[in-house]
């Protein structure tokens, strides 16, 4: 049973517009959430995280929103750039640095 | 430069052979992890270690073994008991014991193929 779900396998966005990637989770014990970006044949790169005591965290063009009651988080990229084209993984863990649980990823394509 | 080094980048194995994937980190991280990625799948946890000389099974540990004799190193052995070993293997590390959660940092992976 998937504890972290990314229901959109792919997303196409025009350059300059907003990209919104979504993630749902089922385990109410999760309190730390991360987004990773991955290019082919490379390891994932950490992008941004949020703990359950917050509902928003911003870092440059990247913002993560957390809705605990809906068990939903989203990553907003504004403005989207062609270099943002990659697979984005959502991950979650519970307190105590337990191993991360990953979603299956969403492939973002930013079109010039 | 601090980071995680996985070697080799590509590895081929004959059926029935054991093969060991290397993972070294110089980030002074306590915890290390091994994941497997298959096409269209997320990262699935194989084994992890939070401290030297100790490790725990992840979700898909069958057919794999690990050791953690040094803080910097966490090699993964894919044994002949692993029936479908062809995959992209990722090693990661993170700090522990911190007041705040710390993200995992990943190596660039090893692609294992069966001849």
């Amino acid at each position: 049973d998937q504890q972290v779900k990314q229901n959109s396998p792919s997303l196409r966005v025009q350059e300059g517009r907003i990209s919104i990637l979504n993630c749902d989770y089922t385990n109410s014990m999760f309190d730390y959430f991360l987004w990773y970006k991955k290019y082919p044949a490379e390891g994932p790169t950490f992008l941004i995280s949020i703990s359950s005591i917050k509902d928003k965290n911003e870092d440059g063009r990247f913002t993560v929103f957390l809705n605990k009651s809906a068990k939903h988080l989203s990553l907003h990229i504004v403005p989207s750039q062609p270099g943002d084209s990659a697979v984005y993984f959502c991950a979650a863990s519970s307190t105590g640095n337990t191993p991360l649980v990953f979603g299956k990823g969403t492939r973002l394509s930013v079109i010039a | 430069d601090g980071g995680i080094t996985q070697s080799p980048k590509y590895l081929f194995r004959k059926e029935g052979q054991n093969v060991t994937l290397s993972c070294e980190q110089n980030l002074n991280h306590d915890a290390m992890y091994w994941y497997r990625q298959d096409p269209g799948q997320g990262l699935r946890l194989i084994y992890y270690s939070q401290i030297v000389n100790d490790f725990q099974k992840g979700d898909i540990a069958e057919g794999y073994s690990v050791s953690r004799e040094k803080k910097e190193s966490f090699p993964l052995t894919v044994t002949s008991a692993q029936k479908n070993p062809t995959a992209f293997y990722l090693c990661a590390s993170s700090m522990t014991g911190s007041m705040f959660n710390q993200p995992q940092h990943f190596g660039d992976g090893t692609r294992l193929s069966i001849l």
Side-chain angles (χ1 to χ4, degrees), chain A residues 31-32 34 36 38 41-44 46 89 93-100 102-104, chain B residues 9 35 37 40-43 45 48 50 88 90 95-97 101-104 106-108:
Chain A
D31 60 3
Y32 180 54
L34 308 89
Y36 283 85
K38 186 181 180 300
E42 292 184 9
F46 169 70
F89 289 100
S93 72
S94 52
T95 303
N97 288 302
T98 55
L100 297 175
F102 284 84
K104 290 188 177 183
Chain B
K9 194 159 181 68
Y35 294 89
Q37 186 189 14
Q41 300 291 319
L43 281 64
L45 183 66
Y48 67 102
Q50 303 225 343
F88 189 54
L90 286 158
M95 291 176 61
T96 61
N101 283 300
Q102 297 292 324
Q104 292 179 15
F106 284 82
D108 278 340

Side-chain angles (χ1 to χ4, degrees), chain A residues 54-68:
Chain A
K54 294 185 173 182
D55 54 19
K56 176 182 172 181
N57 190 25
E58 193 171 350
D59 184 0
R61 295 186 298 115
F62 302 92
T63 303
V64 56
F65 295 92
L66 176 62
N67 182 333
K68 290 184 289 294

